[in-house]
Amino acid sequence: MLAAMDVVMQEAYGVPSFRLSIERFAAVQPDGLVVVEDGDSVVGTGCCIAYHDGGFGWVGLVATAPGHQRRGIATTITDVLAEVLVRHGCAPVLDASLAGGPVYERMGFVDHGPTKVMAFAAEPPAPGPNDCDLLTAGDFDDVIEFDAVRFGSLRSALLAKVIVQHPSRSLVVRREHRVAGYLVAQEGTLGPVVADDADALSAVVAASLRLDWANPPRINVPPESMHVETLLGLGFELRRELQHMRRSIGLLPGRRECIAGQVSLGEG
């Protein structure tokens, strides 16, 4: 079933694979995977993840197979996923394309500003001394605590899965023995990226850009982020904007200005 979901998402979004994201949903929020079938074929998919401490959850990876669009499949999937989140005591949140925004507005979602998809468009920084370190098991508890205060909810299971998937591409920066920022460099994406100031962000991003990349990395920047100017200065460019939308919740908790990059557009 997970492989079939991946095929639909690839066809809908034109991306090689969502396998790692789907695996994270399956491990962390197994009741948050939804499919629509036509006969023996999966023709629609979607996922959600509940952040219980914060009272919100993300809906993402909603996709319809070619030839099955405009039948209300995506709307039905979103309704089901939102109901799953409500059962967990969480209000649904999502990042919508400009085309999808009006559909979600009719479903009661409210626009809360643009999520910026940015891509690195400069030369990688020259080798030099790193102000950050590889994130190790000894850092994990400190990073989880640091992240929870800023993200607005504890997400230890999700971050553990992301870090395990990318053990040699997870970085942390400390100031006076305290975590000041961290980053996971996924395939093609920087995320999550959380930093308390521009210096901490610059340290982890510059180190990540020295890693091997098949293509220039992207980063999905939430609307509350204070880090857009720093990312522009590091060589990132705006590629597109999505509508960050919420239903039944206004402000999200935490210190979300510190978030420079989401885990993904489907996980927040």
Side-chain angles (χ1 to χ4, degrees), residues 80-154:
V80 172
L81 294 171
E83 290 173 5
V84 170
L85 292 175
V86 170
R87 288 199 297 271
H88 283 277
C90 295
V93 177
L94 53 83
D95 290 304
S97 67
L98 296 182
V103 176
Y104 292 116
E105 286 179 357
R106 291 194 290 272
M107 297 174 68
F109 285 85
V110 177
D111 189 347
H112 283 267
T115 293
K116 296 176 173 61
V117 179
M118 305 179 75
F120 186 65
E123 291 296 320
N130 286 333
D131 293 326
C132 61
D133 301 297
L134 279 177
L135 198 161
T136 68
D139 299 308
F140 185 72
D141 288 345
D142 289 344
V143 167
I144 293 302
E145 181 180 359
F146 172 87
D147 178 83
V149 171
R150 288 143 187 86
F151 182 73
S153 184
L154 188 69

Side-chain angles (χ1 to χ4, degrees), residues 170-264:
S170 301
L171 305 168
V172 62
V173 59
R174 290 180 178 270
R175 298 285 186 264
E176 297 181 355
H177 307 293
R178 294 179 179 272
V179 175
Y182 80 98
L183 172 154
V184 180
Q186 300 184 57
E187 291 80 358
T189 303
L190 298 180
V193 186
V194 185
D196 276 349
D197 53 49
D199 288 343
L201 178 68
S202 297
V204 291
V205 170
S208 74
L209 293 173
R210 299 187 184 103
L211 299 171
D212 291 330
W213 294 95
N215 296 295
R218 295 196 173 200
I219 186 168
N220 303 310
V221 188
E224 306 94 338
S225 180
M226 65 180 178
H227 290 308
V228 172
E229 291 301 320
T230 300
L231 290 168
L232 290 170
L234 289 167
F236 285 81
E237 293 180 351
L238 179 65
R239 292 300 165 84
R240 63 186 179 118
E241 291 185 340
L242 304 174
Q243 288 179 264
H244 177 71
M245 308 187 79
R246 307 170 190 163
R247 190 170 74 188
S248 304
I249 192 170
L251 292 175
L252 296 183
R255 293 172 49 192
R256 300 188 62 82
E257 70 277 4
C258 298
I259 303 173
Q262 300 179 167
V263 173
S264 73

Side-chain angles (χ1 to χ4, degrees), residues 46-69:
C47 304
C48 69
I49 184 167
Y51 297 114
H52 300 89
D53 297 342
F56 65 94
W58 235 265
V59 173
L61 298 183
V62 177
T64 306
H68 292 79
Q69 293 96 342

